Amino acid sequence: MPRLRTLSALLATAALVAACDDPFNDGARQDNVDVALEVWAITGGPVAFPTALVVPFYTVVPVDAPGSFDIAFDIDADGRLRVLPMNKVVAPLLGPRNVGLLRSGENYSTIIEAPRTGWLYDSTLTVNPGGAFLVRVQTRYCDGELRQDVYAKFYVDSVLPLERRVKLFARINPNCGFRSFADGLPEY
């Protein structure tokens, strides 16, 4: 009788697994997302306005003490964008997380994938208008996933120092561990 129950349980499990498309597939589930962002500088900008970004959800938010954002934005004295990882702005309640920044010498439209090396962690990045940069965020959004990083590329459209405002374009790959910035569903 115990063998029959074990066999029945195994057959039921096999039937559930077979009913799924592929339960072990670690392929991308979401298309890459293009977004236009408008953010304000953390110094001199309006307090309640969005000054930071939650990368996997491509959501702009105000900087907050718990550190519920990935990167924040500021404008330096020369009118350039300053990109700051969360732990350079606040001491987060749940501890710091890795945020890598990388200035790109390439044209934004020719960046087809995030590189594996060259990332600067725990460092700020200054980018001129017309420049491109990349972000790699190790995020709780990927808890339970094999790979823990989300990647994005950004183009600095304009920096308006008198208004303390920045306009950016971004392509965000919301799939954990996928580095491709190709149109649609990424393959890697």
Side-chain angles (χ1 to χ4, degrees), residues 12-61:
T13 302
L16 286 173
V17 168
C20 299
D21 289 345
D22 183 356
F24 304 108
N25 181 4
D26 65 345
R29 295 178 184 99
Q30 301 175 59
D31 287 348
N32 284 332
V33 179
D34 291 318
V35 291
L37 304 167
E38 185 173 66
V39 294
W40 278 259
I42 58 173
T43 56
V47 176
F49 282 37
T51 53
L53 178 69
V54 181
V55 174
F57 303 111
Y58 39 94
T59 304
V60 291
V61 295

mmCIF file of all heavy atoms in Angstrom, residues 12-61:
data_model
loop_
_atom_site.group_PDB
_atom_site.id
_atom_site.type_symbol
_atom_site.label_atom_id
_atom_site.label_comp_id
_atom_site.label_asym_id
_atom_site.label_seq_id
_atom_site.Cartn_x
_atom_site.Cartn_y
_atom_site.Cartn_z
ATOM 1 N N ALA A 12 1.268 11.935 -10.031
ATOM 2 C CA ALA A 12 0.588 13.226 -9.934
ATOM 3 C C ALA A 12 1.573 14.376 -10.143
ATOM 4 O O ALA A 12 1.284 15.350 -10.845
ATOM 5 C CB ALA A 12 -0.106 13.358 -8.576
ATOM 6 N N THR A 13 2.753 14.268 -9.538
ATOM 7 C CA THR A 13 3.783 15.294 -9.724
ATOM 8 C C THR A 13 4.213 15.363 -11.181
ATOM 9 O O THR A 13 4.347 16.454 -11.752
ATOM 10 C CB THR A 13 5.001 15.009 -8.822
ATOM 11 O OG1 THR A 13 4.564 14.958 -7.466
ATOM 12 C CG2 THR A 13 6.068 16.068 -8.988
ATOM 13 N N ALA A 14 4.425 14.236 -11.803
ATOM 14 C CA ALA A 14 4.820 14.199 -13.210
ATOM 15 C C ALA A 14 3.746 14.825 -14.084
ATOM 16 O O ALA A 14 4.044 15.551 -15.049
ATOM 17 C CB ALA A 14 5.109 12.769 -13.649
ATOM 18 N N ALA A 15 2.483 14.597 -13.770
ATOM 19 C CA ALA A 15 1.387 15.182 -14.547
ATOM 20 C C ALA A 15 1.372 16.698 -14.406
ATOM 21 O O ALA A 15 1.162 17.431 -15.377
ATOM 22 C CB ALA A 15 0.055 14.585 -14.107
ATOM 23 N N LEU A 16 1.615 17.206 -13.180
ATOM 24 C CA LEU A 16 1.663 18.655 -12.973
ATOM 25 C C LEU A 16 2.825 19.280 -13.735
ATOM 26 O O LEU A 16 2.686 20.329 -14.351
ATOM 27 C CB LEU A 16 1.780 18.975 -11.484
ATOM 28 C CG LEU A 16 0.520 18.788 -10.661
ATOM 29 C CD1 LEU A 16 0.838 18.971 -9.175
ATOM 30 C CD2 LEU A 16 -0.556 19.753 -11.100
ATOM 31 N N VAL A 17 3.977 18.639 -13.695
ATOM 32 C CA VAL A 17 5.149 19.163 -14.408
ATOM 33 C C VAL A 17 4.880 19.150 -15.906
ATOM 34 O O VAL A 17 5.180 20.108 -16.620
ATOM 35 C CB VAL A 17 6.417 18.341 -14.058
ATOM 36 C CG1 VAL A 17 7.557 18.680 -15.000
ATOM 37 C CG2 VAL A 17 6.819 18.602 -12.621
ATOM 38 N N ALA A 18 4.287 18.093 -16.412
ATOM 39 C CA ALA A 18 4.007 18.001 -17.847
ATOM 40 C C ALA A 18 2.970 19.021 -18.278
ATOM 41 O O ALA A 18 2.961 19.451 -19.430
ATOM 42 C CB ALA A 18 3.544 16.592 -18.192
ATOM 43 N N ALA A 19 2.097 19.449 -17.372
ATOM 44 C CA ALA A 19 1.062 20.421 -17.716
ATOM 45 C C ALA A 19 1.650 21.806 -17.944
ATOM 46 O O ALA A 19 1.075 22.620 -18.658
ATOM 47 C CB ALA A 19 0.012 20.476 -16.617
ATOM 48 N N CYS A 20 2.793 22.081 -17.366
ATOM 49 C CA CYS A 20 3.463 23.375 -17.569
ATOM 50 C C CYS A 20 4.211 23.340 -18.888
ATOM 51 O O CYS A 20 4.623 22.290 -19.353
ATOM 52 C CB CYS A 20 4.450 23.645 -16.435
ATOM 53 S SG CYS A 20 3.679 23.742 -14.820
ATOM 54 N N ASP A 21 4.420 24.518 -19.488
ATOM 55 C CA ASP A 21 5.180 24.578 -20.732
ATOM 56 C C ASP A 21 6.565 24.001 -20.521
ATOM 57 O O ASP A 21 6.982 23.091 -21.193
ATOM 58 C CB ASP A 21 5.279 26.009 -21.239
ATOM 59 C CG ASP A 21 3.954 26.511 -21.768
ATOM 60 O OD1 ASP A 21 3.057 25.674 -21.995
ATOM 61 O OD2 ASP A 21 3.818 27.731 -21.922
ATOM 62 N N ASP A 22 7.304 24.582 -19.615
ATOM 63 C CA ASP A 22 8.630 24.088 -19.267
ATOM 64 C C ASP A 22 9.001 24.695 -17.921
ATOM 65 O O ASP A 22 9.495 25.822 -17.853
ATOM 66 C CB ASP A 22 9.656 24.483 -20.333
ATOM 67 C CG ASP A 22 11.042 23.920 -20.038
ATOM 68 O OD1 ASP A 22 11.227 23.292 -18.970
ATOM 69 O OD2 ASP A 22 11.937 24.103 -20.868
ATOM 70 N N PRO A 23 8.752 23.974 -16.834
ATOM 71 C CA PRO A 23 8.980 24.555 -15.505
ATOM 72 C C PRO A 23 10.439 24.854 -15.214
ATOM 73 O O PRO A 23 10.744 25.569 -14.286
ATOM 74 C CB PRO A 23 8.438 23.485 -14.556
ATOM 75 C CG PRO A 23 8.555 22.212 -15.326
ATOM 76 C CD PRO A 23 8.336 22.589 -16.770
ATOM 77 N N PHE A 24 11.358 24.300 -15.999
ATOM 78 C CA PHE A 24 12.778 24.521 -15.743
ATOM 79 C C PHE A 24 13.383 25.541 -16.710
ATOM 80 O O PHE A 24 14.573 25.780 -16.690
ATOM 81 C CB PHE A 24 13.534 23.187 -15.834
ATOM 82 C CG PHE A 24 12.958 22.164 -14.890
ATOM 83 C CD1 PHE A 24 12.234 21.094 -15.369
ATOM 84 C CD2 PHE A 24 13.110 22.300 -13.521
ATOM 85 C CE1 PHE A 24 11.678 20.169 -14.504
ATOM 86 C CE2 PHE A 24 12.554 21.381 -12.642
ATOM 87 C CZ PHE A 24 11.840 20.313 -13.134
ATOM 88 N N ASN A 25 12.569 26.152 -17.532
ATOM 89 C CA ASN A 25 13.041 27.137 -18.501
ATOM 90 C C ASN A 25 13.406 28.427 -17.759
ATOM 91 O O ASN A 25 12.590 28.983 -17.040
ATOM 92 C CB ASN A 25 11.949 27.415 -19.530
ATOM 93 C CG ASN A 25 12.384 28.422 -20.571
ATOM 94 O OD1 ASN A 25 13.523 28.868 -20.586
ATOM 95 N ND2 ASN A 25 11.475 28.774 -21.450
ATOM 96 N N ASP A 26 14.636 28.863 -17.937
ATOM 97 C CA ASP A 26 15.040 30.110 -17.301
ATOM 98 C C ASP A 26 15.162 31.217 -18.344
ATOM 99 O O ASP A 26 15.951 32.129 -18.201
ATOM 100 C CB ASP A 26 16.336 29.940 -16.505
ATOM 101 C CG ASP A 26 17.531 29.622 -17.380
ATOM 102 O OD1 ASP A 26 17.343 29.261 -18.550
ATOM 103 O OD2 ASP A 26 18.665 29.742 -16.887
ATOM 104 N N GLY A 27 14.354 31.131 -19.390
ATOM 105 C CA GLY A 27 14.351 32.142 -20.443
ATOM 106 C C GLY A 27 13.702 33.439 -19.978
ATOM 107 O O GLY A 27 13.055 33.502 -18.933
ATOM 108 N N ALA A 28 13.871 34.469 -20.778
ATOM 109 C CA ALA A 28 13.283 35.769 -20.475
ATOM 110 C C ALA A 28 11.760 35.664 -20.495
ATOM 111 O O ALA A 28 11.194 34.911 -21.286
ATOM 112 C CB ALA A 28 13.770 36.798 -21.480
ATOM 113 N N ARG A 29 11.125 36.445 -19.649
ATOM 114 C CA ARG A 29 9.663 36.428 -19.565
ATOM 115 C C ARG A 29 9.041 37.744 -20.021
ATOM 116 O O ARG A 29 7.847 37.811 -20.259
ATOM 117 C CB ARG A 29 9.243 36.141 -18.134
ATOM 118 C CG ARG A 29 9.652 34.762 -17.651
ATOM 119 C CD ARG A 29 9.248 34.538 -16.198
ATOM 120 N NE ARG A 29 9.723 33.259 -15.736
ATOM 121 C CZ ARG A 29 10.827 33.078 -15.017
ATOM 122 N NH1 ARG A 29 11.577 34.109 -14.679
ATOM 123 N NH2 ARG A 29 11.195 31.879 -14.628
ATOM 124 N N GLN A 30 9.859 38.805 -20.084
ATOM 125 C CA GLN A 30 9.332 40.129 -20.419
ATOM 126 C C GLN A 30 10.165 40.773 -21.513
ATOM 127 O O GLN A 30 11.380 40.597 -21.560
ATOM 128 C CB GLN A 30 9.362 41.029 -19.188
ATOM 129 C CG GLN A 30 8.563 40.510 -18.007
ATOM 130 C CD GLN A 30 8.756 41.408 -16.804
ATOM 131 O OE1 GLN A 30 8.454 42.588 -16.859
ATOM 132 N NE2 GLN A 30 9.274 40.855 -15.723
ATOM 133 N N ASP A 31 9.511 41.546 -22.361
ATOM 134 C CA ASP A 31 10.212 42.311 -23.386
ATOM 135 C C ASP A 31 11.055 43.407 -22.741
ATOM 136 O O ASP A 31 10.722 43.893 -21.654
ATOM 137 C CB ASP A 31 9.220 42.990 -24.337
ATOM 138 C CG ASP A 31 8.539 42.021 -25.284
ATOM 139 O OD1 ASP A 31 8.976 40.859 -25.385
ATOM 140 O OD2 ASP A 31 7.559 42.439 -25.936
ATOM 141 N N ASN A 32 12.121 43.815 -23.432
ATOM 142 C CA ASN A 32 12.851 45.001 -23.013
ATOM 143 C C ASN A 32 11.910 46.192 -23.122
ATOM 144 O O ASN A 32 11.044 46.230 -24.003
ATOM 145 C CB ASN A 32 14.079 45.216 -23.896
ATOM 146 C CG ASN A 32 15.187 44.250 -23.552
ATOM 147 O OD1 ASN A 32 15.302 43.795 -22.427
ATOM 148 N ND2 ASN A 32 16.030 43.948 -24.518
ATOM 149 N N VAL A 33 12.095 47.166 -22.230
ATOM 150 C CA VAL A 33 11.172 48.288 -22.128
ATOM 151 C C VAL A 33 11.897 49.592 -22.423
ATOM 152 O O VAL A 33 12.951 49.864 -21.842
ATOM 153 C CB VAL A 33 10.561 48.348 -20.710
ATOM 154 C CG1 VAL A 33 9.608 49.514 -20.578
ATOM 155 C CG2 VAL A 33 9.856 47.045 -20.375
ATOM 156 N N ASP A 34 11.327 50.400 -23.323
ATOM 157 C CA ASP A 34 11.840 51.745 -23.595
ATOM 158 C C ASP A 34 11.018 52.748 -22.813
ATOM 159 O O ASP A 34 9.780 52.706 -22.854
ATOM 160 C CB ASP A 34 11.754 52.069 -25.087
ATOM 161 C CG ASP A 34 12.724 51.248 -25.911
ATOM 162 O OD1 ASP A 34 13.871 51.073 -25.475
ATOM 163 O OD2 ASP A 34 12.334 50.776 -26.994
ATOM 164 N N VAL A 35 11.699 53.639 -22.098
ATOM 165 C CA VAL A 35 10.999 54.646 -21.306
ATOM 166 C C VAL A 35 11.667 56.008 -21.460
ATOM 167 O O VAL A 35 12.883 56.100 -21.614
ATOM 168 C CB VAL A 35 10.931 54.270 -19.804
ATOM 169 C CG1 VAL A 35 10.030 53.077 -19.579
ATOM 170 C CG2 VAL A 35 12.294 54.015 -19.221
ATOM 171 N N ALA A 36 10.852 57.044 -21.424
ATOM 172 C CA ALA A 36 11.336 58.419 -21.337
ATOM 173 C C ALA A 36 11.151 58.825 -19.884
ATOM 174 O O ALA A 36 10.065 58.633 -19.312
ATOM 175 C CB ALA A 36 10.542 59.329 -22.261
ATOM 176 N N LEU A 37 12.199 59.348 -19.283
ATOM 177 C CA LEU A 37 12.167 59.693 -17.862
ATOM 178 C C LEU A 37 12.433 61.177 -17.672
ATOM 179 O O LEU A 37 13.252 61.763 -18.378
ATOM 180 C CB LEU A 37 13.235 58.901 -17.105
ATOM 181 C CG LEU A 37 13.181 57.386 -17.221
ATOM 182 C CD1 LEU A 37 14.473 56.776 -16.683
ATOM 183 C CD2 LEU A 37 11.987 56.855 -16.460
ATOM 184 N N GLU A 38 11.763 61.741 -16.708
ATOM 185 C CA GLU A 38 12.030 63.110 -16.297
ATOM 186 C C GLU A 38 12.243 63.068 -14.795
ATOM 187 O O GLU A 38 11.366 62.612 -14.048
ATOM 188 C CB GLU A 38 10.855 64.013 -16.664
ATOM 189 C CG GLU A 38 11.113 65.470 -16.382
ATOM 190 C CD GLU A 38 9.994 66.342 -16.914
ATOM 191 O OE1 GLU A 38 8.872 66.235 -16.393
ATOM 192 O OE2 GLU A 38 10.257 67.113 -17.839
ATOM 193 N N VAL A 39 13.419 63.503 -14.352
ATOM 194 C CA VAL A 39 13.758 63.484 -12.936
ATOM 195 C C VAL A 39 14.317 64.845 -12.534
ATOM 196 O O VAL A 39 14.745 65.625 -13.382
ATOM 197 C CB VAL A 39 14.782 62.372 -12.604
ATOM 198 C CG1 VAL A 39 14.173 60.996 -12.824
ATOM 199 C CG2 VAL A 39 16.055 62.522 -13.408
ATOM 200 N N TRP A 40 14.316 65.074 -11.244
ATOM 201 C CA TRP A 40 14.854 66.317 -10.707
ATOM 202 C C TRP A 40 16.112 66.011 -9.898
ATOM 203 O O TRP A 40 16.329 64.890 -9.460
ATOM 204 C CB TRP A 40 13.799 67.004 -9.841
ATOM 205 C CG TRP A 40 12.822 67.797 -10.663
ATOM 206 C CD1 TRP A 40 12.821 69.140 -10.853
ATOM 207 C CD2 TRP A 40 11.732 67.285 -11.436
ATOM 208 N NE1 TRP A 40 11.802 69.507 -11.688
ATOM 209 C CE2 TRP A 40 11.108 68.382 -12.069
ATOM 210 C CE3 TRP A 40 11.213 66.016 -11.670
ATOM 211 C CZ2 TRP A 40 10.016 68.260 -12.897
ATOM 212 C CZ3 TRP A 40 10.112 65.877 -12.502
ATOM 213 C CH2 TRP A 40 9.523 66.992 -13.106
ATOM 214 N N ALA A 41 16.913 67.024 -9.701
ATOM 215 C CA ALA A 41 18.156 66.893 -8.937
ATOM 216 C C ALA A 41 17.827 66.752 -7.453
ATOM 217 O O ALA A 41 16.899 67.391 -6.947
ATOM 218 C CB ALA A 41 19.036 68.116 -9.163
ATOM 219 N N ILE A 42 18.622 65.924 -6.755
ATOM 220 C CA ILE A 42 18.380 65.764 -5.313
ATOM 221 C C ILE A 42 18.807 67.015 -4.534
ATOM 222 O O ILE A 42 18.322 67.238 -3.444
ATOM 223 C CB ILE A 42 19.049 64.498 -4.733
ATOM 224 C CG1 ILE A 42 20.540 64.494 -4.963
ATOM 225 C CG2 ILE A 42 18.407 63.251 -5.255
ATOM 226 C CD1 ILE A 42 21.261 63.354 -4.275
ATOM 227 N N THR A 43 19.700 67.823 -5.112
ATOM 228 C CA THR A 43 20.042 69.093 -4.465
ATOM 229 C C THR A 43 19.400 70.227 -5.255
ATOM 230 O O THR A 43 19.609 70.357 -6.456
ATOM 231 C CB THR A 43 21.569 69.320 -4.407
ATOM 232 O OG1 THR A 43 22.112 69.249 -5.716
ATOM 233 C CG2 THR A 43 22.240 68.296 -3.522
ATOM 234 N N GLY A 44 18.582 70.996 -4.561
ATOM 235 C CA GLY A 44 17.954 72.159 -5.189
ATOM 236 C C GLY A 44 16.672 71.861 -5.943
ATOM 237 O O GLY A 44 16.003 72.775 -6.401
ATOM 238 N N GLY A 45 16.304 70.607 -6.081
ATOM 239 C CA GLY A 45 15.054 70.253 -6.749
ATOM 240 C C GLY A 45 13.904 70.244 -5.752
ATOM 241 O O GLY A 45 14.119 70.217 -4.545
ATOM 242 N N PRO A 46 12.673 70.255 -6.253
ATOM 243 C CA PRO A 46 11.522 70.184 -5.344
ATOM 244 C C PRO A 46 11.541 68.884 -4.540
ATOM 245 O O PRO A 46 11.787 67.808 -5.089
ATOM 246 C CB PRO A 46 10.319 70.215 -6.288
ATOM 247 C CG PRO A 46 10.853 70.762 -7.583
ATOM 248 C CD PRO A 46 12.286 70.355 -7.652
ATOM 249 N N VAL A 47 11.279 68.976 -3.249
ATOM 250 C CA VAL A 47 11.420 67.850 -2.330
ATOM 251 C C VAL A 47 10.538 66.659 -2.716
ATOM 252 O O VAL A 47 10.981 65.523 -2.686
ATOM 253 C CB VAL A 47 11.107 68.297 -0.872
ATOM 254 C CG1 VAL A 47 11.144 67.116 0.072
ATOM 255 C CG2 VAL A 47 12.089 69.354 -0.442
ATOM 256 N N ALA A 48 9.309 66.872 -3.080
ATOM 257 C CA ALA A 48 8.378 65.770 -3.338
ATOM 258 C C ALA A 48 8.465 65.234 -4.767
ATOM 259 O O ALA A 48 7.769 64.293 -5.117
ATOM 260 C CB ALA A 48 6.955 66.215 -3.040
ATOM 261 N N PHE A 49 9.316 65.818 -5.594
ATOM 262 C CA PHE A 49 9.405 65.390 -6.989
ATOM 263 C C PHE A 49 10.319 64.179 -7.119
ATOM 264 O O PHE A 49 11.185 63.945 -6.276
ATOM 265 C CB PHE A 49 9.929 66.538 -7.849
ATOM 266 C CG PHE A 49 8.893 67.585 -8.176
ATOM 267 C CD1 PHE A 49 7.927 67.952 -7.257
ATOM 268 C CD2 PHE A 49 8.905 68.209 -9.401
ATOM 269 C CE1 PHE A 49 6.983 68.918 -7.560
ATOM 270 C CE2 PHE A 49 7.961 69.174 -9.711
ATOM 271 C CZ PHE A 49 6.997 69.543 -8.789
ATOM 272 N N PRO A 50 10.158 63.401 -8.194
ATOM 273 C CA PRO A 50 11.005 62.211 -8.369
ATOM 274 C C PRO A 50 12.452 62.574 -8.663
ATOM 275 O O PRO A 50 12.744 63.330 -9.578
ATOM 276 C CB PRO A 50 10.355 61.476 -9.541
ATOM 277 C CG PRO A 50 9.549 62.499 -10.256
ATOM 278 C CD PRO A 50 9.156 63.531 -9.248
ATOM 279 N N THR A 51 13.346 62.023 -7.834
ATOM 280 C CA THR A 51 14.775 62.292 -7.961
ATOM 281 C C THR A 51 15.569 60.990 -8.082
ATOM 282 O O THR A 51 16.788 61.006 -8.070
ATOM 283 C CB THR A 51 15.271 63.061 -6.721
ATOM 284 O OG1 THR A 51 14.876 62.335 -5.558
ATOM 285 C CG2 THR A 51 14.698 64.463 -6.672
ATOM 286 N N ALA A 52 14.849 59.860 -8.145
ATOM 287 C CA ALA A 52 15.502 58.549 -8.142
ATOM 288 C C ALA A 52 14.716 57.581 -9.023
ATOM 289 O O ALA A 52 13.614 57.884 -9.476
ATOM 290 C CB ALA A 52 15.585 58.029 -6.709
ATOM 291 N N LEU A 53 15.297 56.403 -9.219
ATOM 292 C CA LEU A 53 14.696 55.406 -10.096
ATOM 293 C C LEU A 53 14.788 54.018 -9.467
ATOM 294 O O LEU A 53 15.837 53.646 -8.929
ATOM 295 C CB LEU A 53 15.422 55.391 -11.454
ATOM 296 C CG LEU A 53 14.964 54.371 -12.483
ATOM 297 C CD1 LEU A 53 13.580 54.697 -13.014
ATOM 298 C CD2 LEU A 53 15.962 54.314 -13.633
ATOM 299 N N VAL A 54 13.704 53.272 -9.554
ATOM 300 C CA VAL A 54 13.696 51.859 -9.224
ATOM 301 C C VAL A 54 13.844 51.153 -10.580
ATOM 302 O O VAL A 54 12.914 51.124 -11.367
ATOM 303 C CB VAL A 54 12.389 51.437 -8.523
ATOM 304 C CG1 VAL A 54 12.432 49.952 -8.171
ATOM 305 C CG2 VAL A 54 12.131 52.298 -7.307
ATOM 306 N N VAL A 55 15.032 50.643 -10.861
ATOM 307 C CA VAL A 55 15.366 50.176 -12.211
ATOM 308 C C VAL A 55 14.456 49.071 -12.730
ATOM 309 O O VAL A 55 13.901 49.205 -13.825
ATOM 310 C CB VAL A 55 16.859 49.783 -12.313
ATOM 311 C CG1 VAL A 55 17.170 49.156 -13.649
ATOM 312 C CG2 VAL A 55 17.733 51.013 -12.079
ATOM 313 N N PRO A 56 14.250 47.932 -12.021
ATOM 314 C CA PRO A 56 13.468 46.853 -12.636
ATOM 315 C C PRO A 56 12.037 47.247 -12.982
ATOM 316 O O PRO A 56 11.437 46.689 -13.884
ATOM 317 C CB PRO A 56 13.460 45.747 -11.580
ATOM 318 C CG PRO A 56 14.516 46.084 -10.616
ATOM 319 C CD PRO A 56 14.747 47.562 -10.699
ATOM 320 N N PHE A 57 11.492 48.219 -12.255
ATOM 321 C CA PHE A 57 10.108 48.635 -12.490
ATOM 322 C C PHE A 57 10.026 49.934 -13.287
ATOM 323 O O PHE A 57 8.938 50.459 -13.487
ATOM 324 C CB PHE A 57 9.374 48.781 -11.159
ATOM 325 C CG PHE A 57 9.391 47.522 -10.345
ATOM 326 C CD1 PHE A 57 10.115 47.453 -9.173
ATOM 327 C CD2 PHE A 57 8.719 46.392 -10.776
ATOM 328 C CE1 PHE A 57 10.151 46.286 -8.424
ATOM 329 C CE2 PHE A 57 8.748 45.229 -10.044
ATOM 330 C CZ PHE A 57 9.465 45.162 -8.863
ATOM 331 N N TYR A 58 11.203 50.470 -13.700
ATOM 332 C CA TYR A 58 11.331 51.729 -14.438
ATOM 333 C C TYR A 58 10.384 52.799 -13.901
ATOM 334 O O TYR A 58 9.675 53.476 -14.620
ATOM 335 C CB TYR A 58 11.178 51.523 -15.951
ATOM 336 C CG TYR A 58 10.121 50.520 -16.386
ATOM 337 C CD1 TYR A 58 8.840 50.925 -16.704
ATOM 338 C CD2 TYR A 58 10.426 49.161 -16.469
ATOM 339 C CE1 TYR A 58 7.883 50.010 -17.084
ATOM 340 C CE2 TYR A 58 9.473 48.246 -16.854
ATOM 341 C CZ TYR A 58 8.202 48.678 -17.159
ATOM 342 O OH TYR A 58 7.238 47.764 -17.530
ATOM 343 N N THR A 59 10.440 52.960 -12.566
ATOM 344 C CA THR A 59 9.578 53.894 -11.862
ATOM 345 C C THR A 59 10.426 54.975 -11.212
ATOM 346 O O THR A 59 11.368 54.674 -10.477
ATOM 347 C CB THR A 59 8.782 53.148 -10.762
ATOM 348 O OG1 THR A 59 8.064 52.080 -11.368
ATOM 349 C CG2 THR A 59 7.824 54.068 -10.052
ATOM 350 N N VAL A 60 10.078 56.250 -11.476
ATOM 351 C CA VAL A 60 10.776 57.359 -10.827
ATOM 352 C C VAL A 60 10.066 57.671 -9.511
ATOM 353 O O VAL A 60 8.837 57.651 -9.436
ATOM 354 C CB VAL A 60 10.873 58.603 -11.733
ATOM 355 C CG1 VAL A 60 11.804 58.350 -12.898
ATOM 356 C CG2 VAL A 60 9.523 59.053 -12.234
ATOM 357 N N VAL A 61 10.871 57.920 -8.475
ATOM 358 C CA VAL A 61 10.350 58.132 -7.122
ATOM 359 C C VAL A 61 11.196 59.202 -6.430
ATOM 360 O O VAL A 61 12.338 59.441 -6.826
ATOM 361 C CB VAL A 61 10.401 56.825 -6.299
ATOM 362 C CG1 VAL A 61 9.488 55.756 -6.874
ATOM 363 C CG2 VAL A 61 11.827 56.296 -6.181
#
